[in-house]
Amino acid sequence: MEGYATKVPELNNCDAAQIRKSRIVSRIYVEGYDTSRSGYDFVNSMREHFSSCGEVMHVYIPGYTGYIPGTTLNRFSLIYLRGEGAEEKALKLSGSYSGRGHKLVVEPYPFHAKHLDHKFAPTRYEDNIQHHTILVGGYDTRLPLEHVERYLYEQLSKCGRVMIAICEDGQGFVYSNAYVTLVGIDAVEKLLQLSGSDEEGWESLKFSRFDCPDRDGEAGACNMRPDCPLDPYSSYSTPVMALASLAPEDPNLPKPPCMTSLLPRPWIYRKVSGTGCGCILNTETGDEVEVPPSLLEPASRICYAPEDPNLPKPWKGLVDISTGYGYFWNTETNVTQYEIPYSSASLLGLIHSSVYQRKFLHG
């Protein structure tokens, strides 16, 4: 959409070519590391080991969904590096030693290559329902919130299923960074490829590296103050399930679950007696943020979300127009939830492989 992105200053051909090279993301194959480490420790060790090559945008560990005592990591992984000459620099580290004396094997594996896909096939289904979060900036913060949301959704949905959380400050300006959650490794790889391309609409967007796995035994924990969506000094954030082509408001549709269920552990909500307000409390640090009840229980206006062929029957996607949050409705039991519902077959596969865990970012 014209005017939604930040205006990019005109560059000469040499400068433009240099910027394009610096944004290119390379994919490399790595094995030989210590598989007894947790995902958190392994990702941080790879970030450190390959930091001289470029920016480590993402570390993909096939089949990993959280730390489980007594289990080991997959013996091979993919690392995505951004920067000019990143691949060549990384290949020079083949034969180098990572932590605990393990000798790394590093091979090129460009996005168009397929010869190693069979190694990733056994876990690809589980890997394509995992959530990955990244910060995105570079859009025009002077535009109205709904314009920025729609622009980001139109661009980023080219990668696959996305959820976007973005807030306004108290003066009507949107924050300069949006939290974007992508569902699945295929969506992650598509974004990384487009971020280094000349795709229209992506020229001004800026991407941080993807989030790191949780620390050992702390799956879902978050000690950062949850400014989105529960900061009383900002507008409601909007993880965008679908902003385009929303259906008309329907007063007969069921209301969404209480928004307190979106709080990441160890944050909880409690009412303050006699004030009519409440607060969100970090049970580990003792930090408190006071919030009015209307922030957690807004007046809901509901409509259907665009049809999603991936939803199992009898689930339907709905959108709370007053907050922008998407949620899910079981038309047979009348249950509503923020968690993405899985089919029975999907759940059996997840439970059987011991990779099912609760997620706290939903769309």
Side-chain angles (χ1 to χ4, degrees):
M1 291 187 179
E2 186 177 353
Y4 283 5
T6 302
K7 183 176 177 58
V8 180
E10 292 186 8
L11 303 171
N12 59 45
N13 291 338
C14 183
D15 289 338
Q18 193 66 32
I19 290 175
R20 281 194 295 272
K21 289 180 181 178
S22 68
R23 294 177 60 178
I24 291 175
V25 176
S26 303
R27 186 176 71 170
I28 60 172
Y29 172 91
V30 179
E31 63 177 55
Y33 47 81
D34 182 1
T35 59
S36 68
R37 309 185 78 166
S38 69
Y40 177 86
D41 290 337
F42 170 69
V43 169
N44 279 307
S45 70
M46 291 298 99
R47 285 177 175 176
E48 181 179 356
H49 197 82
F50 289 93
S51 61
S52 62
C53 307
E55 185 177 5
V56 180
M57 295 293 291
H58 186 53
V59 179
Y60 165 41
I61 314 167
Y64 186 81
T65 61
Y67 176 71
I68 302 174
T71 62
T72 59
L73 301 176
N74 205 312
R75 67 178 182 83
F76 49 84
S77 60
L78 296 176
I79 297 179
Y80 305 81
L81 295 164
R82 179 169 65 186
E84 184 177 2
E87 181 182 287
E88 291 78 7
K89 296 173 186 176
L91 296 181
K92 293 178 181 179
L93 294 180
S94 187
S96 63
Y97 289 87
S98 64
R100 305 177 186 178
H102 288 257
K103 191 175 184 179
L104 295 180
V105 175
V106 183
E107 300 176 8
Y109 194 49
F111 288 108
H112 61 78
K114 302 294 181 186
H115 62 283
L116 296 177
D117 281 6
H118 64 282
K119 290 190 172 186
F120 303 95
T123 62
R124 202 66 173 185
Y125 177 81
E126 289 90 351
D127 296 338
N128 269 324
I129 58 177
Q130 301 306 316
H131 291 198
H132 305 272
T133 304
I134 190 172
L135 282 176
V136 179
Y139 47 81
D140 192 341
T141 59
R142 299 166 298 177
L143 290 170
L145 177 63
E146 61 271 17
H147 288 194
V148 177
E149 289 170 343
R150 195 174 296 275
Y151 168 69
L152 289 177
Y153 184 77
E154 287 181 355
Q155 299 304 322
L156 300 177
S157 62
K158 297 173 183 176
C159 305
R161 192 169 188 174
V162 298
M163 290 152 276
I164 301 169
I166 184 171
C167 295
E168 286 180 321
D169 61 18
Q171 300 178 350
F173 292 96
V174 297
Y175 287 137
S176 57
N177 286 298
Y179 288 89
V180 175
T181 300
L182 293 96
V183 182
I185 186 61
D186 287 346
V188 169
E189 290 200 337
K190 183 67 172 177
L191 181 141
L192 292 173
Q193 291 179 76
L194 287 174
S195 69
S197 71
D198 293 327
E199 178 81 11
E200 184 179 357
W202 288 64
E203 305 92 339
S204 62
L205 293 179
K206 297 178 175 61
F207 301 90
S208 71
R209 65 188 184 188
F210 278 89
D211 57 349
C212 190
D214 298 307
R215 290 179 182 272
D216 304 3
E218 292 185 356
C222 176
N223 283 316
M224 295 185 297
R225 173 178 165 176
D227 288 330
C228 295
L230 301 172
D231 187 338
Y233 304 107
S234 69
S235 69
Y236 300 122
S237 65
T238 54
V240 180
M241 181 179 174
L243 287 174
S245 303
L246 290 179
E249 180 181 344
D250 187 341
N252 297 316
L253 292 174
K255 303 299 183 185
C258 179
M259 293 178 70
T260 56
S261 63
L262 291 174
L263 284 171
R265 187 173 58 83
W267 293 88
I268 62 172
Y269 174 72
R270 70 178 186 184
K271 292 184 178 180
V272 179
S273 60
T275 66
C277 291
C279 72
I280 47 177
L281 168 70
N282 187 314
T283 56
E284 293 183 358
T285 66
D287 292 339
E288 291 187 4
V289 181
E290 186 174 328
V291 293
S294 59
L295 189 62
L296 294 171
E297 299 177 5
S300 299
R301 298 162 47 223
I302 312 303
C303 70
Y304 282 102
E307 196 70 26
D308 185 346
N310 296 313
L311 279 181
K313 293 181 178 180
W315 292 91
K316 294 288 185 181
L318 303 178
V319 175
D320 182 350
I321 302 172
S322 60
T323 65
Y325 271 89
Y327 61 102
F328 302 94
W329 171 40
N330 187 312
T331 58
E332 292 183 356
T333 65
N334 213 35
V335 167
T336 59
Q337 64 185 52
Y338 290 112
E339 293 87 353
I340 298 175
Y342 298 112
S343 65
S344 299
S346 301
L347 278 174
L348 286 173
L350 288 173
I351 294 170
H352 179 71
S353 57
S354 300
V355 298
Y356 180 75
Q357 68 179 63
R358 183 171 180 181
K359 295 290 182 180
F360 286 91
L361 277 173
H362 303 293

